[in-house]
Amino acid sequence: MLFFEYALLGAFAVTIVSELCVALIFFSNRPDVSRAFLIAAVIVANAFTHPLFVAFAYHIYEVPYVVVEIAVFCVEAIMYRILLGCSWGTVVCFSVIANSISICIGYMVRVLL
Amino acid sequence: MYFVLRFCYMKKTMLGVLGVISVLVALGGITSVARADDSAPNTLYWMKDDTKVTCVSFDLSEVPNNYFLVFDYDVETGISRGKPWTVVAEGKCYQVLDETAKLYAVEAQSGDELEQFSNYNAYAPSQSVRDTFCSPVRSDERIDFNGTAPCYSEMKIQEVVLPFTEQLGVTFVDSLFKTHIYINELFPTKYTFGAGVTQFVASFGTLQQKLSEDYIFIEAKGLHESLALELSNALHKCDMRVRTEYKSLPTYTEWRGSNPDVPNAGIAINSNIVVWRLSDNADYTIGRDFRTLDSETLVDKMGCSETYHAFLRAHQSDFSRLDELGSELRSKYFDEGKLIDYFVAPRVVPDSTLHDTTVIQPAEASYTESMPHITLEEVYAQAQATAKPVEYRTELDEPTPAQKQKYITGSTNTALQIYILLPLFALLGFGLLFWTRNRR
């Protein structure tokens, strides 16, 4: 596996794992959201946004990073709202926290490696 | 952000990004301050400017097909790029943060050497080629003909001296972060100061000892250094350079070692071109093998002509004082003969032929015209003739968006091919989940 492939897929894995952990903690007191459904929703949301984020931010259109990040928050929040049926406040809060933590963990992994 | 960071930070969130950037900026600021503090006043060097990029590129046309070059990043660059070294490609300029960056030539013998060096993820970004592939060098080990330690390895790896690295004990010709501008050429004095002021020397015996304790020399040295530092700071503010590139031509050469029947061969760099890229994106050739333009022309190209002449006008009395001190020193140590020339010498300027040199007698020199044998028009004409824009432009080794897209879409890796199609699968999954939810 070439370097960039390793880096790209590794980053995707880190994002999925970190956001899943955050989701399981964040929605632990919500009996109306089943764990299996929550895990599936997080994977689907990230599988949709991650490749597009990479493409838009860096590889095809070179849209400014912050703009793409905001778009990712919005898209993921909408997806969670539709799938989980929670309030807008809850899904936006979750989206911000989960994404913030995933990028911090990604940075730490990068530094440690 | 660099390529690696782009991949690895990936997602997301402005808060996280801003936090990380703030930390990096803070660390960068602290590092810069520390570096500035480390730079003692020196008339030969200009202080390193972290806002300018110094990089080295390679014309690979003279490198045989069975060799490839590996650029071993300095540790800081390696960590920022997420890989310890990179296989050299044509048209790329490799950034250098300090002089620990190295170049290696590797001979492809078994056929898998290139693969080993290209498999960057197998190595930590802070590793070096020497630590990874070469056996530790013994203290009694011989040094190669080019001043580098040999690399004992299963592969045939040879360190190649980069154009800007310096060898100890040799008079400084140029250095990595220099502008290629010499203080002695910019000061309109009748005398030039050498050893102990603008040159580093190990020892010049008893005369050096005498001068180091001579109040005249101490005053001259102090005044010279303070003027140099002031000019250096002034030039930093008007410097329009954004990049200095060392274009190098590695060539295959053969030489004979101690046993004349056993010829050795390897890669050596035998020609360099220095190119400045200015902030208007124009490239100027500063010289082949370091320099063809005089310091005043370089100051002009840098965008600092006005600053420089204002500096000259403001310090005329200081230059007069330097000349008085130089004259006193030469009279005082007249008996030392030629030896005093190493410390204080009558100014030598290029003759109008630009090949010979002429010694200007102190009585003839003038502050108002620092280069009496060449008119300003001639200097500009010379600059026009030599400072032509470079035709072959190189880019820093950051992959372009097109290259990145090609890396991803052209990958033969199954996992990456699935990754590319993930948004489509995700949409299907989203529909399925939505349908499941509505059924409950």
Side-chain angles (χ1 to χ4, degrees), chain A residues 1-9 11-12 15 19 32 34 37 40-41 43-54 58-60 62 65-66 69-70 72-73 76 78-85 96 99-104 106-107 110 113, chain B residues 1 3-18 20 23-24 27 79 81-83 118-121 123-125 400-402 404-408 411-413 415-416 419-420 422-427 429-430 433-434 436-437 440:
Chain A
M1 193 185 287
L2 294 176
F3 168 73
F4 77 93
E5 298 170 333
Y6 171 82
L8 196 58
L9 297 174
F12 180 59
T15 303
E19 293 202 18
D32 55 320
S34 81
F37 195 83
I43 291 173
V44 162
N46 281 285
F48 183 73
T49 56
H50 199 276
L52 293 178
F53 172 84
V54 170
Y58 302 125
H59 299 293
I60 300 176
E62 290 196 297
Y65 185 89
V66 173
E69 279 293 355
I70 292 170
V72 166
F73 293 147
E76 287 193 7
I78 291 168
M79 291 176 87
Y80 291 135
R81 162 84 174 145
I82 293 171
L83 292 178
L84 303 179
V96 168
N99 285 302
S100 302
I101 289 176
S102 79
I103 196 167
C104 289
Y107 178 73
R110 180 69 253 154
L113 288 178
Chain B
M1 282 298 195
F3 174 56
V4 177
L5 300 181
R6 285 175 174 172
F7 272 129
C8 295
Y9 293 171
M10 302 290 44
K11 304 181 67 191
K12 298 114 184 220
T13 193
M14 283 181 296
L15 289 174
V17 174
L18 291 174
V20 170
V23 170
L24 291 176
L27 287 174
I79 290 171
R81 285 172 191 273
K83 54 181 178 179
S118 308
N119 188 19
Y120 303 120
N121 60 47
Y123 313 100
T400 63
K404 291 175 190 171
Q405 188 183 349
K406 190 179 167 189
Y407 289 157
I408 294 172
S411 172
T412 54
N413 186 314
L416 199 67
Y419 175 82
I420 295 166
L422 270 183
L424 289 177
F425 295 139
L427 278 179
F430 180 81
L433 285 176
F434 185 65
T436 307
R437 179 177 173 273
R440 280 191 292 178

Side-chain angles (χ1 to χ4, degrees), chain B residues 138-205:
Chain B
R138 298 192 306 271
S139 57
D140 60 343
E141 195 54 81
R142 69 181 176 83
I143 300 296
D144 276 358
F145 81 105
N146 60 6
T148 61
C151 172
Y152 293 112
S153 166
E154 290 179 0
M155 292 184 278
K156 195 172 177 185
I157 302 171
Q158 173 215 341
E159 184 181 336
V160 184
V161 177
L162 284 168
F164 44 75
T165 52
E166 296 164 4
Q167 293 177 18
L168 292 174
V170 178
T171 304
F172 288 101
V173 176
D174 217 320
S175 72
L176 177 53
F177 300 110
K178 267 187 67 182
T179 50
H180 314 282
I181 292 170
Y182 295 88
I183 288 287
N184 261 331
E185 292 182 9
L186 292 179
F187 282 6
T189 49
K190 298 171 187 174
Y191 299 96
T192 55
F193 288 81
V197 180
T198 60
Q199 286 178 21
F200 294 101
V201 287
S203 174
F204 262 103

Side-chain angles (χ1 to χ4, degrees), chain B residues 75-125:
Chain B
V75 173
E76 195 177 333
T77 307
I79 290 171
S80 71
R81 285 172 191 273
K83 54 181 178 179
W85 52 75
T86 187
V87 175
V88 170
E90 190 88 49
K92 293 288 179 192
C93 200
Y94 300 94
Q95 186 167 359
V96 178
L97 289 180
D98 61 46
E99 296 182 26
T100 59
K102 307 269 185 209
L103 178 69
Y104 292 90
V106 183
E107 187 176 347
Q109 292 173 308
S110 64
D112 65 350
E113 289 89 351
L114 184 58
E115 191 182 336
Q116 283 198 54
F117 274 91
S118 308
N119 188 19
Y120 303 120
N121 60 47
Y123 313 100

Side-chain angles (χ1 to χ4, degrees), chain B residues 382-428:
Chain B
Q382 180 194 351
Q384 283 300 113
T386 50
K388 290 175 182 168
V390 176
E391 290 177 23
Y392 303 103
R393 293 171 71 88
T394 56
E395 298 302 330
L396 287 175
D397 58 330
E398 176 86 357
T400 63
Q403 283 171 320
K404 291 175 190 171
Q405 188 183 349
K406 190 179 167 189
Y407 289 157
I408 294 172
T409 56
S411 172
T412 54
N413 186 314
T414 310
L416 199 67
Q417 288 170 340
I418 293 171
Y419 175 82
I420 295 166
L421 296 173
L422 270 183
L424 289 177
F425 295 139
L427 278 179
L428 289 175

Side-chain angles (χ1 to χ4, degrees), chain B residues 349-365:
Chain B
V349 298
D351 200 355
S352 54
T353 61
L354 298 177
H355 296 295
D356 302 326
T357 55
T358 303
V359 177
I360 303 300
Q361 294 305 316
E364 298 170 4

